[in-house]
Amino acid sequence: MKRSNILILFLLLLFIPSFQSCGDDETELTNNLIVADFVALGNVVIIEGDAFYILLHNGNPLDPKDSSRLKYKPQDGERVWVYYNEVEEKVAGYTFTIEIAAMDKLIIQEIEMLTEANAEEIGNDPVTIEAILIGGGFINIEFKYYGKTEHIRNHTFNLVINEATRQENEDFFELEFRHNSRNDSYRQWQGGIMAFKMETELADVFSGKGLHIRVNKNMGGEQVIVVDFSEGNIIIPQK
């Protein structure tokens, strides 16, 4: 069974297709001494060999004219935050041609079935969902939780189907977002983002009007977040 630890991303803005810095009086995102005017969420698509492009979650393709500053070799299907600048040169078939300052890989996991055998491992410790973004074949969840900074790699997070307690609903399929703190102390707020595959073998999950995502919220108990596919792809839960 696949288990992934949390990847912490320090971003200026989360869950917006792209943003531009507001000017010289604002804090600018820098990486390797290169100022990046934009950050966007997308998938790596390998064309041939080392050639690739970035397909944004909204369907717009970005052509990386210059990716020489990357510290790793991108792999097909990776979910990434890409920090970039637009360049004047345009390439047919792409929304923008870009110079990449840096890329951060997101953790990608599969939606799992909750069973008696894995229930203890998956856990149900408090975690607060800050935002949900549907796009690019993924459910992307931004969240925060309590824990010591030195122990964040011990925490695990999963999106599961709990058939034992799932409420039957023809329009909204119920999922649960689960956290296992590994008995870490509730000392500091931590944050993260993960991507869960909307796989074809789970077609029944996504065939209705939306989702109900149940979570054991920090300082609030159980919360059910309604994800209505007809109301857009960005969901900010009520506090």
Side-chain angles (χ1 to χ4, degrees):
M1 181 177 297
K2 182 177 178 181
R3 283 288 177 270
S4 299
N5 292 322
I6 182 64
L7 171 66
I8 301 300
L9 301 176
F10 297 95
L11 301 174
L12 296 181
L13 190 63
L14 292 177
F15 288 125
I16 302 298
S18 62
F19 75 91
Q20 187 171 16
S21 57
C22 298
D24 294 338
D25 59 338
E26 298 290 334
T27 301
E28 293 180 303
L29 176 65
T30 62
N31 214 304
N32 298 333
L33 303 180
I34 301 297
V35 174
D37 290 331
F38 298 90
V39 58
L41 179 63
N43 296 346
V44 173
V45 180
I46 300 296
I47 302 171
E48 185 177 359
D50 293 336
F52 70 96
Y53 66 92
I54 305 297
L55 183 65
L56 299 186
H57 73 273
N58 61 8
N60 290 336
L62 303 181
D63 173 49
K65 174 182 174 60
D66 184 358
S67 58
S68 60
R69 293 180 179 84
L70 292 184
K71 296 182 179 180
Y72 77 102
K73 182 179 179 180
Q75 302 297 314
D76 191 59
E78 284 181 340
R79 192 75 166 154
V80 296
W81 284 107
V82 56
Y83 309 84
Y84 67 94
N85 296 307
E86 295 177 5
V87 300
E88 292 184 1
E89 178 182 342
K90 300 296 182 183
V91 177
Y94 295 93
T95 306
F96 297 107
T97 301
I98 64 172
E99 172 194 45
I100 296 178
M103 287 201 316
D104 285 326
K105 293 187 291 184
L106 272 69
I107 293 175
I108 296 177
Q109 287 191 187
E110 298 176 356
I111 298 172
E112 299 191 26
M113 295 296 299
L114 184 70
T115 66
E116 290 185 6
N118 65 17
E120 183 175 355
E121 173 70 14
I122 286 177
N124 195 23
D125 293 317
V127 57
T128 296
I129 294 177
E130 294 287 281
I132 299 171
L133 172 62
I134 307 293
F138 293 91
I139 302 173
N140 307 275
I141 298 180
E142 179 197 358
F143 54 90
K144 65 180 182 180
Y145 61 99
Y146 280 113
K148 292 182 179 179
T149 301
E150 60 267 30
H151 293 162
I152 58 176
R153 293 186 180 276
N154 297 330
H155 292 247
T156 57
F157 303 86
N158 289 275
L159 193 61
V160 303
I161 300 172
N162 185 355
E163 290 289 5
T165 61
R166 184 172 68 85
Q167 300 294 315
E168 292 291 340
N169 188 312
E170 292 183 359
D171 296 324
F172 291 86
F173 195 96
E174 185 174 281
L175 299 172
E176 296 183 12
F177 186 58
R178 294 292 193 99
H179 170 213
N180 189 340
S181 68
R182 312 288 182 185
N183 297 314
D184 195 10
S185 63
Y186 285 56
R187 179 171 294 183
Q188 301 159 304
W189 277 117
Q190 310 291 347
I193 176 174
M194 297 182 72
F196 296 90
K197 295 180 182 178
M198 298 174 69
E199 297 177 300
T200 54
E201 55 263 36
L202 296 175
D204 290 346
V205 176
F206 309 110
S207 61
K209 294 182 179 179
L211 303 170
H212 286 166
I213 298 182
R214 191 177 299 274
V215 62
N216 181 18
K217 182 181 177 182
N218 288 293
M219 298 180 293
E222 187 176 90
Q223 179 185 30
V224 177
I225 299 167
V226 178
V227 179
D228 191 326
F229 295 150
S230 67
E231 295 182 356
N233 62 355
I234 301 176
I235 297 91
I236 309 297
Q238 293 184 351
K239 302 299 182 183

